[in-house]
Amino acid sequence: MFSARSLFQEILDNDNSYRLFCSIAASGEAQGGWENGRIAALLPASLRGLAPKVARHGADEDKHGRIFHALMRKRGLTPTTVPEGTDYTMLLERRGIGLAHDKLRRDEPLTERDVITYLAHSRVTEQRAADQMQLLTKHFGDHPELGKAMRMIAQDEDNHLAYCHEELLKLARAGHGRTIQHSLYECARAEIVVYRDVSLAVMDHMGRILRWPRPKAAALAAAIRAVHGYERLAGWRRMVTLTTPERRDPLGGPATSAPEFV
């Protein structure tokens, strides 16, 4: 059959599938960097104290994008076009999740409700990112080509997730609890659908590149749908709970650099 490790090893061993994987990852991180940069610039006066943390979040995402580009360069690869069906950020926006790019392009201050929407969206998507990086680090944290990058990105994603918990809890204590819970619920329910669709699209492209036999591709698609079934019934709950993080003020201070990659 197949395992997460064996599947990713196949993708890693083939230049074309590895190029697509890194290109998708780099594009998503770059979009996240731009979004956070714009949000930091547009925060309302009542929440301007968040600006350094939001900017740090954006700087980390930009760094991750550069790391994935550097990983491609090490193999002599250049980025490829990201297929539309694999664009996680764009598909979430189309479902009305997070702050629309049109809003972020305007030079109009955001509202406190907008900031809650941003943080709730980030709390859900950073949970996904942290889970994925934990899995990759488990299997490839000691890999000579990928290990250092995976560990660095995983640590940043854990910090981002802790930051979302911390800031949402502060806003809940300030009286926004019901709005936060509604935003988290709506985002989580949409995200699990988008994640399923993106996973199916990515695996379809990888299967064609790697020439997977039809039974293997069908079994993998069935596994992705089974995960979605679990998340639709119960797994989404892990994305909407808020707990005081062990890492306090995780985005305080400047972003860390990654000179060995960039």
Side-chain angles (χ1 to χ4, degrees):
M1 190 52 70
F2 54 81
S3 65
R5 180 182 178 86
S6 65
L7 284 172
F8 192 75
Q9 190 65 59
E10 282 190 72
I11 293 168
L12 175 62
D13 290 343
N14 180 284
D15 280 351
N16 289 327
S17 56
Y18 182 71
R19 179 190 186 204
L20 179 59
F21 166 78
C22 288
S23 296
I24 292 171
S27 175
E29 298 287 359
Q31 287 186 65
W34 177 83
E35 289 172 3
N36 279 277
R38 290 301 298 155
I39 290 166
L42 298 175
L43 286 169
S46 60
L47 293 172
R48 285 304 301 169
L50 271 178
K53 297 179 182 180
V54 180
R56 160 77 185 274
H57 190 179
D60 284 345
E61 303 287 4
D62 283 336
K63 177 184 70 178
H64 299 167
R66 294 194 301 272
I67 287 173
F68 282 111
H69 280 290
L71 290 173
M72 283 189 277
R73 285 197 304 273
K74 286 182 178 179
R75 283 207 193 177
L77 303 173
T78 56
T80 188
T81 302
V82 175
E84 183 173 318
T86 68
D87 193 328
Y88 174 80
T89 303
M90 180 189 69
L91 292 174
L92 281 173
E93 183 184 3
R94 284 183 179 175
R95 284 183 166 267
I97 300 303
L99 297 178
H101 285 186
D102 285 346
K103 177 187 285 285
L104 295 180
R105 290 188 184 99
R106 297 194 295 266
D107 289 325
E108 299 174 5
L110 300 174
T111 65
E112 289 191 358
R113 179 64 181 263
D114 289 332
V115 176
I116 291 171
T117 297
Y118 149 68
L119 285 170
H121 167 265
S122 294
R123 188 264 177 269
V124 170
T125 55
E126 292 296 342
Q127 180 73 60
R128 183 71 71 185
D131 290 348
Q132 290 180 322
M133 291 312 304
Q134 182 181 43
L135 180 64
L136 287 173
T137 302
K138 174 183 176 182
H139 294 304
F140 296 95
D142 295 327
H143 190 278
E145 183 178 7
L146 289 180
K148 187 179 291 186
M150 295 300 100
R151 294 193 304 272
M152 179 177 291
I153 295 173
Q155 182 174 349
D156 286 344
E157 301 296 6
D158 287 344
N159 283 337
H160 299 167
L161 183 58
Y163 147 76
C164 293
H165 277 271
E166 191 171 71
E167 298 305 328
L168 284 169
L169 284 170
K170 289 178 184 177
L171 287 167
R173 289 192 290 270
H176 299 287
R178 183 165 299 191
T179 300
I180 290 168
Q181 282 302 315
H182 176 75
S183 296
L184 286 170
Y185 175 82
E186 292 299 317
C187 186
R189 300 295 278 189
E191 193 278 343
I192 64 172
V193 175
V194 169
Y195 180 71
R196 176 202 61 193
D197 293 345
V198 167
S199 298
L200 289 169
V202 170
M203 289 300 106
D204 181 62
H205 284 282
M206 294 300 180
R208 282 189 269 122
I209 291 171
L210 297 168
R211 298 182 180 179
W212 286 338
R214 188 171 297 176
K216 179 176 180 175
L220 181 56
I224 290 170
R225 291 190 175 96
V227 169
H228 171 257
Y230 163 73
E231 292 195 327
R232 183 171 59 85
L233 291 173
W236 59 271
R237 296 180 187 279
R238 79 187 189 284
M239 296 180 168
V240 302
T241 57
L242 293 175
T243 57
T244 302
E246 292 183 9
R247 304 181 185 206
R248 308 307 297 270
D249 194 25
L251 295 190
T256 57
S257 61
E260 63 268 45
F261 297 106
V262 300

